Amino acid sequence: METPLIEFRDVTKRFDDKTILDKANLSIYENQITTIIGKSGSGKSVLLKHIIGLLSPDEGTILFRGKSVLQMKKREWEEYRSKISYMFQNNALFDSMSIFDNIALPLRQTTRLKKKEIEQKVMSRLEQMELNDVAHQYPSELSGGMQKRVALARALVTDPAIVLFDEPTTGQDPIRKNIILSMIAHYRKQFGFTAVLISHDIPDVFFISDMILLLWEGKIGFHGTYEELTRMRHPMMDEFLKSIEGLRDELTGLLSKEMFRSRYALSLGGQKADTTITAVLFSVQFDHLAERRWPQAHLEVLKLLGAHVHNYFSPLGGFSARHSRDKILTILPHMSIEEAGQLVHEITQDLQKALPELQSNARNKIGVNECFELSIAAGITGASSSEDIEQIIDKADKNQKIVAVATYKCGKEGASK
């Protein structure tokens, strides 16, 4: 069995007479994105501070690669701390320092590298994260999204094994939230670090998470995948969902997966006879390089698609949710495949008319020398109410065809179908 990168065993932490962590047990595995959720004041930040070593447990043990952190010798402890980096909620960039100097700061403060070696590492990170052009600018001269990328570059310049993110998307609009989360997911794959996030941005953060930990009354009440979470039937989960505002996907305005599953069960699960239904799966397809460089274009199209799906299908009894970062599933309980096909045709015609405006906005932000192509696909399938949602998604996915295309070719903009 794989040894966890970080493991808590019966970790307890008290402040005066209040117990924040109460025999908490958790495992965080290497090269994954683990997201910690929980109600406000549940101890999420306290848990994160235990990982980085800013707090020590009153009881219990924290292990790194199977070895107790408390039993480490000074050199081992320093090596452990050097493997952990922290991306602050508000970026914590120094306005009086250039972007280069902000990124170089951890190397200057925590290593004995020579000036030339620091310069090489910083320039390498700047190039990898496409920040070369702003190296000599200052934080105040950059957009909020660029500042986030600089903050992440600084967190990664020491080549950490673990990066901790404390509410990385707080105060951002839905598009910007998803851009930041996409950035974290992309660079995690590129640099191979383990990410641990605290976030209230549900369900958006779930789309990039490998594992989810629900902190509940000082304990880990749930530890598993998003799919497992949506199937969970427990009063604790119901209460948690009622305590947060994210019961809808903020980006698209559609149902969250939890609400979608409940609607599916309530609408169809109580019927005695097996019922035939129609399902439509939409997806936004975007080249990975293009998505990294121009994530806003991808997300704007996804947001537009969500609005169209809701406006067309909801009045007819359909209900929809985003089931992955770029896929939207709609269940149509009272519609034939032929009728659904006609509606999909109408939706895609409207989408094709709306895409040029999005392209024009992208042109202003991207520049005349860049190229990308975005496409929207749709798949329609008949299904039985006895089938689970994953089976329906698989069937619809196999029927998907491109129905709308947005092309921006190096200085020219246009839409085609």
Side-chain angles (χ1 to χ4, degrees), residues 14-269:
R14 303 181 185 89
F15 293 101
D16 297 324
D17 59 347
K18 186 174 183 180
T19 301
I20 305 299
L21 299 178
D22 183 14
K23 295 187 181 300
N25 292 281
L26 64 87
S27 297
I28 294 171
Y29 290 91
E30 201 159 10
N31 295 325
Q32 290 189 347
I33 297 178
T34 298
T35 297
I36 303 167
I37 61 175
K39 294 193 294 185
S40 296
S42 61
K44 299 185 297 296
S45 293
V46 170
L47 192 154
L48 215 62
K49 288 174 181 176
H50 276 77
I51 294 175
I52 202 172
L54 294 175
L55 290 173
S56 298
D58 297 324
E59 299 169 15
T61 306
I62 298 173
L63 297 95
F64 177 68
R65 298 192 195 279
K67 183 164 186 177
S68 172
V69 171
L70 294 177
Q71 294 175 4
M72 287 181 177
K73 296 177 181 178
K74 183 179 179 182
R75 181 175 293 182
E76 290 177 314
W77 169 251
E78 290 175 349
E79 184 179 352
Y80 166 69
R81 284 293 302 269
S82 71
K83 293 181 182 295
I84 302 177
S85 192
Y86 193 98
M87 184 168 163
F88 294 93
Q89 185 180 123
N90 61 354
N91 302 329
L93 300 175
F94 292 93
D95 290 333
S96 60
M97 298 168 61
S98 69
I99 299 307
F100 180 96
D101 289 331
N102 266 284
I103 296 174
L105 188 61
L107 296 174
R108 291 169 177 164
Q109 288 187 334
T110 64
T111 73
R112 297 180 180 178
L113 294 177
K114 296 179 181 179
K115 182 178 179 181
K116 188 68 175 176
E117 293 174 310
I118 290 176
E119 182 178 337
Q120 289 174 344
K121 283 185 73 71
V122 174
M123 291 308 298
S124 174
R125 196 59 87 221
L126 284 165
E127 183 177 352
Q128 289 168 331
M129 301 186 71
E130 299 174 350
L131 291 167
N132 308 56
D133 295 341
V134 301
H136 300 295
Q137 294 183 14
Y138 291 84
S140 60
E141 299 178 280
L142 305 183
S143 67
M146 288 289 281
Q147 288 181 21
K148 284 287 182 186
R149 200 188 306 175
V150 171
L152 183 55
R154 182 179 61 187
L156 296 178
V157 77
T158 57
D159 299 315
I162 306 162
V163 182
L164 309 179
F165 299 86
D166 190 354
E167 298 282 5
T169 56
T170 295
Q172 305 292 328
D173 61 65
I175 291 286
R176 181 60 58 192
K177 286 177 183 178
N178 280 269
I179 288 175
I180 293 167
L181 294 173
S182 296
M183 177 188 73
I184 291 171
H186 169 75
Y187 287 117
R188 193 218 62 76
K189 290 180 182 177
Q190 180 175 343
F191 297 115
F193 59 87
T194 299
V196 182
L197 286 77
I198 288 175
S199 181
H200 284 103
D201 290 320
I202 297 171
D204 303 76
V205 71
F206 292 162
F207 295 124
I208 69 164
S209 302
D210 297 298
M211 298 297 290
I212 298 161
L213 302 180
L214 170 59
L215 188 58
W216 187 262
E217 295 180 354
K219 300 181 184 294
I220 302 301
F222 171 82
H223 186 177
T225 65
Y226 185 16
E227 290 302 323
E228 291 168 338
L229 181 70
T230 59
R231 296 190 188 100
M232 186 176 179
R233 292 293 176 266
H234 193 287
M236 171 188 65
M237 194 64 221
D238 294 339
E239 187 175 339
F240 172 69
L241 291 173
K242 290 175 184 176
S243 75
I244 60 175
E245 296 179 358
L247 293 178
R248 285 188 176 269
D249 178 7
E250 199 176 11
L251 178 68
T252 63
L254 302 176
L255 299 175
S256 69
K257 286 176 70 173
E258 294 80 9
M259 290 185 70
F260 182 92
R261 285 185 181 278
S262 295
R263 179 81 176 271
Y264 183 72
L266 288 171
S267 300
L268 305 170

Side-chain angles (χ1 to χ4, degrees), residues 229-349:
L229 181 70
T230 59
R231 296 190 188 100
M232 186 176 179
R233 292 293 176 266
H234 193 287
M236 171 188 65
M237 194 64 221
D238 294 339
E239 187 175 339
F240 172 69
L241 291 173
K242 290 175 184 176
S243 75
I244 60 175
E245 296 179 358
L247 293 178
R248 285 188 176 269
D249 178 7
E250 199 176 11
L251 178 68
T252 63
L254 302 176
L255 299 175
S256 69
K257 286 176 70 173
E258 294 80 9
M259 290 185 70
F260 182 92
R261 285 185 181 278
S262 295
R263 179 81 176 271
Y264 183 72
L266 288 171
S267 300
L268 305 170
Q271 300 188 27
K272 295 180 180 179
D274 199 15
T275 305
T276 300
I277 59 174
T278 300
V280 181
L281 182 69
F282 287 96
S283 64
V284 178
Q285 301 174 2
F286 202 25
D287 176 79
H288 288 303
L289 175 62
E291 184 180 356
R292 190 183 84 233
R293 298 189 67 181
W294 313 298
Q296 185 153 349
H298 174 255
L299 294 167
E300 290 284 3
V301 171
L302 189 57
K303 182 179 180 180
L304 179 70
L305 175 61
H308 276 67
V309 166
H310 176 74
N311 291 339
Y312 272 84
F313 289 141
S314 292
L316 301 174
F319 51 97
S320 312
R322 185 158 57 125
H323 280 263
S324 67
R325 291 176 64 198
D326 53 13
K327 292 184 186 294
I328 292 173
L329 177 68
T330 297
I331 297 294
L332 299 161
H334 312 295
M335 189 176 294
S336 68
I337 290 179
E338 292 73 22
E339 292 171 323
Q342 180 58 42
L343 270 180
V344 168
H345 178 69
E346 293 177 18
I347 289 175
T348 53
Q349 283 189 318

